[in-house]
Amino acid sequence: MLVAPDRFKGSLSAPEVARRLATGLRRVRPGVPVVEFPLADGGDGTAAAAIAAGWRRVEVKVAGPTGQPVTATLAMRGRTAVVELAEASGLRQLPGGRPRPLSATSLGAGQMLAHALRMGARRIVLGLGDSACTDGGAGLVQGLGGRLLDAAGKELPPGGAALRSLHTLDLRGMPNLSRVEVIVATDADSPLLGRGGAAMAHGPRKGAGRAEIRVLDAGLRRWADLVEAACRRSVRDLPGAGAAGGVGFAALAFLGARIRPGSAYLLELLGFADKARKARLAITGEGMLDVRTLRGKPPIGAARAASRAGAPVIAVVGQRGLTGEQLRRARIQAVYALTDIEPDVERCMRQAGPLLEQLTVAIADEWLPERRAGSAGRP
């Protein structure tokens, strides 16, 4: 059996959801092998998903979004590294959860990339999502050895607001990446600037008000002008340039990155189809399965891939939000919701773990009938 959920936002991470479901299934059907395969889209949980798929865990001390040190995790397999920006520069790394929209930095993400290069990585998958910063990837460049200077030749302070004072880029300390493949995994398709860009569209989630958004957008415009002149390429309007507060822009301009849809690419990278071909049943899900899920979020990609591989697919969710026809088109045969056994939504969020384990009893009864001793089958 293949257990492949996304996170239940506000309650449990994807690995925690997978672990709870697996625990319940092993209890009610101890003879059925269970494979845990938490999903990710490039944001929170991307490194954990790779590690759950058998990649090696690597921990490194880097700067968090406010400059305070944090321990970040990346995943390695051979000469390929999965670097999740949110591990270093994500919202969950803000001290006390307090937003710093003008000064939050992607410096730690650049330090993680530098560490992966020192470990011999020749392909780097950079997962972008859930960032705390809107600095256009300026911090990432600094983490790789670049210098950002004002008109007096002084280093700029961190954050997107300071980019308004940018005068000179000194890239002599940057590593040679000509033999390194960089792939950005993200489901964000926004440009860097303007109404749908990094500051205006996503700044409010990072604590930016109207005045702060104007400051950030002006800083990103100044950054884009100088970067594109230095790199001799125009990438600000490309889909994904605005990902993770504009870190997508820096990856395109400085790292020669290719942008791939995060959910689909990570399923491919981590070998989901091979696991699904061996599965007797695939279980996916997330906190709220609704029309937004249909726009390419991880559970939909997993459901379609598992169905193509020949495995029946069911979903476990916090709340239902799709019609039967929508579920059929998504290749999901049944949905089990926490609200089926606990109508209080707030209680569902607080007690998601035990409730998930409880749901596995119904799943096992309906989809995993007990077999005679000695019989064998797919997991």
Side-chain angles (χ1 to χ4, degrees), residues 231-305:
C231 296
R232 298 182 181 179
R233 66 179 77 171
S234 178
V235 298
R236 70 179 75 186
D237 294 326
L238 293 180
V247 173
F249 169 80
L252 289 164
F254 292 102
L255 310 182
R258 292 184 296 121
I259 293 183
R260 298 284 302 273
S263 301
Y265 179 73
L266 288 163
L267 286 174
E268 177 187 330
L269 178 72
L270 303 181
F272 179 84
D274 182 60
K275 297 284 196 305
R277 277 191 291 271
K278 302 171 184 176
R280 177 178 168 188
L281 176 70
I283 303 175
T284 189
E286 64 176 347
M288 180 65 174
L289 200 68
D290 58 16
V291 291
R292 291 171 295 182
T293 312
L294 299 176
R295 299 174 191 148
K297 291 180 73 175
I300 293 302
R304 289 173 175 160

Side-chain angles (χ1 to χ4, degrees), residues 5-12 17 284-290 292-293 297 299 316-321 335-339 345 348-349 352 356:
D6 200 359
R7 61 184 169 177
F8 278 39
K9 195 170 183 179
S11 296
L12 299 173
V17 175
T284 189
E286 64 176 347
M288 180 65 174
L289 200 68
D290 58 16
R292 291 171 295 182
T293 312
K297 291 180 73 175
V316 174
V317 302
Q319 299 180 74
R320 304 166 187 271
V335 174
Y336 297 80
L338 299 188
T339 50
V345 174
C348 280
M349 293 185 69
L356 283 167

Side-chain angles (χ1 to χ4, degrees), residues 144-232:
L144 285 168
R147 299 178 68 216
L148 280 59
L149 309 174
D150 64 15
K154 295 181 179 179
E155 293 271 1
L156 289 187
L163 294 174
R164 294 174 301 166
S165 301
L166 179 63
H167 185 267
T168 304
L169 294 172
D170 180 355
L171 305 177
R172 290 173 294 179
M174 294 276 287
N176 180 0
L177 297 174
S178 60
R179 297 185 179 181
V180 179
E181 179 186 17
V182 179
I183 298 165
V184 166
T186 181
D187 284 339
D189 59 2
S190 55
L192 179 66
L193 303 171
R195 183 170 297 177
M200 293 190 185
H202 305 292
R205 183 176 175 233
K206 301 169 190 182
R210 290 185 180 180
E212 292 165 316
I213 287 170
R214 288 193 293 270
V215 167
L216 290 168
D217 198 58
L220 291 174
R221 194 170 299 277
R222 175 67 176 167
W223 171 240
D225 289 343
L226 268 68
V227 168
E228 291 182 343
C231 296
R232 298 182 181 179

Side-chain angles (χ1 to χ4, degrees), residues 23-99:
T23 296
L25 289 166
R26 288 175 179 130
R27 183 183 302 126
V28 295
R29 291 293 184 271
V32 177
V34 180
V35 174
E36 298 174 41
F37 196 108
L39 302 178
D41 61 4
D44 266 336
T46 296
I51 291 163
W55 292 46
R56 178 162 60 97
R57 175 191 296 270
V58 178
E59 294 186 344
V60 57
K61 284 275 191 183
V62 296
T66 65
Q68 295 183 19
V70 298
T71 299
T73 299
L74 56 93
M76 293 282 298
R77 186 179 66 183
R79 304 194 83 177
T80 299
V82 171
V83 175
E84 175 193 324
L85 173 134
E87 276 285 318
S89 312
L91 290 163
R92 61 186 162 88
Q93 296 289 16
L94 288 166
R98 180 185 172 191

